[in-house]
Each structure stands twice: as structure tokens, then as C-alpha cells.
Amino acid sequence: MGLDTLTPSSLADARTAVRTAVVRRVRVPLPTRVARAATLVGGLALAGSTFLAWTWTPAFPGDLTVTGYPGGLQVLTLILGAAVAVFALASYGVRGLGWLVPAGATAALRRLALGGFAVTWFTVIAIAVELDGLANLEPGGVVAAVAAAVPLVGAWALPDDTREPGPARELPDAVEILVIAAVLALGLLVFTYGIGTSYGQLFGGFLIAVGFGCAALARAGLARRLTALTARHRSVTTAAAFLAAAAFPFTQSDDRYATVAANILVFATVALGLNVVVGLAGLLDLGYVAFLGVGAYTAALVSGSPASSIHGFQLPFWAAALAGAAAAMLFGVIIGAPTLRLHGDYLAIVTLGFGEIFRITVNNLDGVSGPDVTGGPNGIPNIPDLDILGFDFGAEHVVFGVTLGRFANYYLLLLVVTAIVVLVFRRVGDSRIGRGWVAIREDETAARAMGINTFKLKLMAFALGAALAGLAGTVQAHITYTVVPEQYLFAGPVPPNSAFLLAAVVLGGMGSITGPLLGAALLYLIPAKLEFLQEGQLLAFGVALILLMRFRPEGLVRDRGHEAEFHTEPNVDAKAGV
């Protein structure tokens, strides 16, 4: 309609239509208004309750007896309560908060409210168990327990407003890179807080809070937008992620948590190598930890240990690393060549047997039951620290005014190894060989019918995965000072072992890069942090596995191929908000 066609009657009709639309927008049904108010007020009340004392005695870890200063688990409740209030304001349509909920606010509010309720009641129950009874709660704890239920009820009473998020507004490249850097800095802060939790109850609450927080961000549609942002700046994101990880030792005052971080990186790097075999090629390998052992024993033999059977022989680290990777690759070819014609459970049984054969063999090469090569049950001790270009990894060094201890040094070295593994995984996964592996994983018969040499590609996957594990093993040998057969079990109380490695790949997300890294970090930290559960650790771990497989069968980080495999209904992403 042009300006010359406007008449007084048409203008009046337009004003009436606008007025009607505004009235309809303002006239929200009463139950919805009550639910929104309950969610907002409940979130504020929950956050406010953390400034009250929850118990009368400091015997409970974190000292929740201080009024006016949240501590311990109260901090997590405060964060979740404040997040509920902010997202409730976003559901009201407050100007400036719409970017928080591009896919709708209700689903995100429900997850945040449920997280606040879970953390609060987890704390209340922990107080009752630790101090022998609910009588140890102060009025502030009772207020928090009641306040936690208010936003939960309000959020579930809200109507579902899930929608397909529209395209995000284009921002200058510099601004988008700053957003990515801010997100990675936040991730470093969260990781540092989690790894630095000083008692099991706080780590348990941390897991609950992070789990529900990430679910809320996904339901709000922010995860999808962040994924699109990082996809546009893939190289920058990868480099920034490693820079953020490299900054971790500089946030620590001692080597205590650098030790944990270094062990996590060993576990994560090996899990990423296993992801080549399981995630890309679809080969179930239950003896993968043996390749880690091959690399570790090779490095121990050629690194100048006094207990090494190769006396007076020491290679520089780069040569020892290549020797460990090559030896593991050779073993991968030797084991894979006669066994990779098997499929499914039969292949899994054979690889499980290989893992046990490796452990028994190195246990018997002690000079009594067999040749003196590996030292038998005593292993190869006294492996010297690395010295690369004059940099002694066993000594403390001051860098940028921060003292880096032994484990911080090895953590940074492992970060370089992890970067190499990630680079190899990404380049191979995007190559013709990687696409052939995915085709074999999806349907080997169809891949063979299309002319793919499935045996050759499976053998390449087996060899490459073994080489990556061997590379990580060369660093592990120097970190632990010694290698013994008991480190390379199929299943054991301490990772890495084959069962935990496979669990890290499956839970993290097969076929993805960040999935196994995240899965390995969680599976290493959970047994170490939840010692207060004692015999209940395995029970809690089993329940977590069941829930994750039920609600997130494709893993924590989704791979597109597995997502299509596990979800067959249309528009599942729109429903999930990710």
C-alpha cells in the first residue's frame, strides 16, 4: 500500500489493529502471571536464603553458620537462584534480556529451578547425614528448602513457549572472537573451581549445578548459537581453547591440582585416541590400555632408567616419543591384522584377550619366568625426569612471576601432546579416510559394496589409535617415575584402564573431539572427589550412567552422525533447543 492510497478510514483501522495487538500482548492469562511471579520471587528468595545460617555448627564442610556471607554449597544455590530470577525476567520480555532465551524461556527455567532445588536439598540431606539429623538445620536451612520448591512449581506451571530460534544478529568478527574468549574464560573458571573443590559434598553439588546449568543453556538455545559462532571461527576457537587450558597452571598457587590436571590429560589424550577406533571406525576395542602400556614401557627402556634392561642407553625425548608411538603402532598392526576380520562381540573378546596377554607378558618378563626385559611385577622404576633443550621438567621454574612445579611442567607438555592428537584426529576425520571410517561404522556391508577396502581402513584406524596411545604413554612413564603391569588393567579402581577409557568415549560423545576430553575429565574426577560415598561410589556411578544413556544416548557432546542414529523423530533439535 502506497502513501497515496492511505485514507482516514484505513489509518483508523491500522490504529485499531495495533491497539488490539498490544492489548492481547498485555493480557496474559492470570495463571501464567501467577506462575511467572512465583518463579521470579522464588528465585530471589532462594538466592536470599544463602545469606542466612543453614546450620549451627562448622562441623559441616564449608562452614554454613555465617549469616550474611554465603559459603560452600550456599554459593552454588546463590548462583542458581540468581539465574532463575534473571531468566524469569527474560520470560517477562524485559528489554535487553531477550538474547538469553532465543528458543524460549520456560524449558530453561524448569532446568534451572530443578537444579536449584536439587543442590539445596542435596545440601540439606548432606547436613542431616553428616551431623546425624535434620535437627541440625538452622531456620535459614529450612527457608532455603522451602524457597527452592517455589520456583520449581512456578516454572512447571508456565506454558511451554519453545520455538525455533531465529538467526542471530551478525556481529563484527572482532566482537564474535571476544565472545568466544569470554566463554572460554568462563569455562576455565568453572573447571578451576571444580578441580579445586576441597571436599566431596561440594564437588557433588558442583556437578549438579553445572549439569542443570548446561541443560538450561541448551534449552534456551544459547548452546546452538555458541556452536554456530565457534563453527565460523573454528581455528580461533581451537587456539583459544588451548590457550585457556595453558593458563590453568598460572591460576594455581601450588602443584596440588596440577597433578590432577596432568593425570586427566593423560586419560583424555588416550581416550581421544580410542575415539578414532570406536567413535570413527566403530570398532569395539576392550584392550586399548595395552597400547598405552607399550608406549610407556618403550619410553622407560630407552630413557636412561637405572633399572632398564638396556643399560647405558638413553634417547632424547623426541626420539623416545617416536619410538613409543612406533612400537604401539607395530603392536596395533600385529594384533589387528589377524583379528579385524571379526565383527562386533567377537572382536571385543579378542581385543580384551590382547589386553590381558600384554599385562601377563610384561609381568613374566622378569628374568625368572622369562627374559629380563620389563622387570616383572616390580616394573621399571626410577625413570628420570625429562630435560628438553635445557628445560628440566622435574625442577621448579618461575614463569611470568608464577612458580611452576613438576606436575605443572608435565601438564603443559601433555597439552602439546593433546594438541597434536586433536590435530591428527581433526585432519584424519575430515579426510577421505575418515569418511570411509564413518561409512564402515554406519554399515560395513554397504561400505564394502561401494568399493571401500574395509579391512585396510580398519587396520589403519587400529594402528593410528594405537600410535596415539603410545605417544601419551611415553609422557605418562616420566610423570609416574615408574611403569608396572598393574597400571594397565581392563578394569580397576583408578583410571586409565580400558573400561574407563571406553566409558569416557561413550559418555563424552563418540566421534567428537571435545566429548572424550570432557568424559575423561569427569570420569577421573568423580572417583577422586566423591570419596565420601565410599561403597556407594559405584552405585552412584551406575545410576548416573543409566540416566545419561536414557536422556542423552549420543553422549554429552553430540556428533551429527550419532545424533541422527539415536534420534529418528523430526525436528528433535527444535524440541531439545540444541
Side-chain angles (χ1 to χ4, degrees):
M1 180 184 295
L3 293 175
D4 54 344
T5 61
L6 289 176
T7 63
S9 59
S10 63
L11 288 173
D13 293 340
R15 283 195 295 268
T16 303
V18 170
R19 197 179 300 115
T20 303
V22 171
V23 170
R24 286 178 179 175
R25 180 179 178 85
V26 173
R27 287 181 181 174
V28 179
L30 180 61
T32 301
R33 282 184 284 168
V34 173
R36 282 180 178 173
T39 305
L40 176 59
V41 173
L44 294 174
L46 181 61
S49 68
T50 62
F51 291 88
L52 303 174
W54 285 14
T55 184
W56 62 275
T57 171
F60 185 79
D63 192 3
L64 310 186
T65 65
V66 181
T67 298
Y69 188 83
L73 286 159
Q74 288 177 321
V75 174
L76 300 175
T77 299
L78 171 63
I79 293 172
L80 287 169
V84 168
V86 171
F87 274 75
L89 290 174
S91 70
Y92 272 103
V94 174
R95 184 181 298 274
L97 295 179
W99 62 272
L100 278 175
V101 288
T106 300
L109 271 172
R110 290 172 179 173
R111 270 66 187 176
L112 288 173
L114 188 57
F117 181 85
V119 170
T120 304
W121 277 88
F122 172 79
T123 307
V124 169
I125 294 171
I127 291 173
V129 172
E130 185 79 16
L131 303 180
D132 296 326
L134 290 173
N136 293 284
L137 284 177
E138 286 288 282
V142 177
V143 170
V146 174
V150 176
L152 186 64
V153 175
W156 246 265
L158 289 171
D160 187 13
D161 62 350
T162 302
R163 58 184 179 270
E164 185 70 23
R169 187 178 64 179
E170 290 288 338
L171 298 173
D173 288 345
V175 176
E176 292 184 344
I177 291 173
L178 285 176
V179 171
I180 293 172
V183 171
L184 291 173
L186 179 62
L188 175 62
L189 177 64
V190 171
F191 176 77
T192 303
Y193 181 87
I195 203 173
T197 49
S198 55
Y199 52 94
Q201 293 90 338
L202 182 58
F203 183 73
F206 167 79
L207 287 181
I208 296 171
V210 170
F212 281 105
C214 291
L217 295 179
R219 291 286 181 168
L222 288 176
R224 180 190 292 187
R225 290 196 168 176
L226 180 61
T227 301
L229 199 64
T230 55
R232 288 200 295 270
H233 305 280
R234 190 175 179 181
S235 299
V236 173
T237 302
T238 303
F242 278 102
L243 285 176
F248 171 75
F250 297 93
T251 65
Q252 307 298 303
S253 57
D254 54 42
D255 229 20
R256 177 182 177 187
Y257 298 120
T259 306
V260 179
N263 288 322
I264 288 174
L265 271 187
V266 172
F267 190 15
T269 304
V270 181
L272 193 56
L274 179 60
N275 198 25
V276 173
V277 181
V278 177
L280 292 182
L283 306 174
L284 185 56
D285 187 351
L286 298 183
Y288 188 76
V289 74
F291 299 123
L292 176 70
V294 171
Y297 269 98
T298 302
L301 288 170
V302 301
S303 294
S305 169
S308 171
S309 58
I310 308 177
H311 300 290
F313 183 74
Q314 183 173 2
L315 292 177
F317 172 69
W318 65 267
L322 289 178
M329 179 183 290
L330 179 61
F331 271 83
V333 173
I334 293 173
I335 298 302
T339 61
L340 286 176
R341 299 187 189 278
L342 300 173
H343 305 278
D345 298 339
Y346 300 101
L347 177 61
I349 292 171
V350 170
T351 55
L352 175 61
F354 163 65
E356 289 301 299
I357 289 171
F358 168 79
R359 182 180 61 83
I360 294 171
T361 300
V362 297
N363 199 49
N364 289 331
L365 296 179
D366 56 355
V368 178
S369 302
D372 185 11
V373 178
T374 64
N378 295 324
I380 303 176
N382 302 320
I383 300 172
D385 281 307
L386 291 174
D387 191 318
I388 301 176
L389 299 177
F391 186 90
D392 184 0
F393 281 76
E396 291 186 346
H397 300 274
V398 178
V399 181
F400 301 127
V402 178
T403 301
L404 299 181
R406 178 177 184 272
F407 285 99
N409 297 332
Y410 279 109
Y411 169 84
L412 294 174
L413 176 62
L414 276 165
L415 200 60
V416 175
V417 175
T418 304
I420 294 172
V421 175
V422 168
L423 178 63
V424 171
F425 185 92
R426 172 176 290 178
R427 296 303 297 263
V428 173
D430 292 338
S431 68
R432 183 177 180 180
I433 294 174
R435 292 193 295 272
W437 286 339
V438 173
I440 293 172
R441 181 191 73 193
E442 298 300 324
D443 193 327
E444 185 173 349
T445 303
R448 191 182 299 114
M450 296 300 294
I452 296 176
N453 189 335
T454 56
F455 175 76
K456 177 182 176 181
L457 286 184
K458 288 195 295 183
L459 188 59
M460 290 176 64
F462 218 68
L464 178 60
L468 296 178
L471 180 62
T474 60
V475 184
Q476 186 208 30
H478 291 88
I479 292 178
T480 58
Y481 282 129
T482 183
V483 288
V484 292
E486 285 70 23
Q487 291 175 326
Y488 309 107
L489 301 169
F490 166 70
V494 179
N497 53 65
S498 292
F500 269 78
L501 287 170
L502 184 61
V505 173
V506 174
L507 296 182
M510 293 189 295
S512 65
I513 293 178
T514 55
L517 301 178
L518 178 60
L522 288 176
L523 288 182
Y524 189 91
L525 283 174
I526 288 174
K529 292 290 188 178
L530 299 186
E531 294 179 351
F532 75 98
L533 291 178
Q534 298 177 355
E535 292 83 1
Q537 279 190 28
L538 288 179
L539 175 62
F541 182 65
V543 171
L545 287 181
I546 293 172
L547 293 176
L548 189 61
M549 290 297 99
R550 168 60 183 86
F551 296 104
R552 193 83 172 187
E554 68 280 7
L556 295 173
V557 180
R558 294 178 171 180
D559 173 69
R560 292 180 182 178
H562 281 85
E563 183 180 349
E565 178 182 346
F566 285 111
H567 296 287
T568 56
E569 58 180 291
N571 298 325
V572 67
D573 280 346
K575 294 180 180 181
V578 294

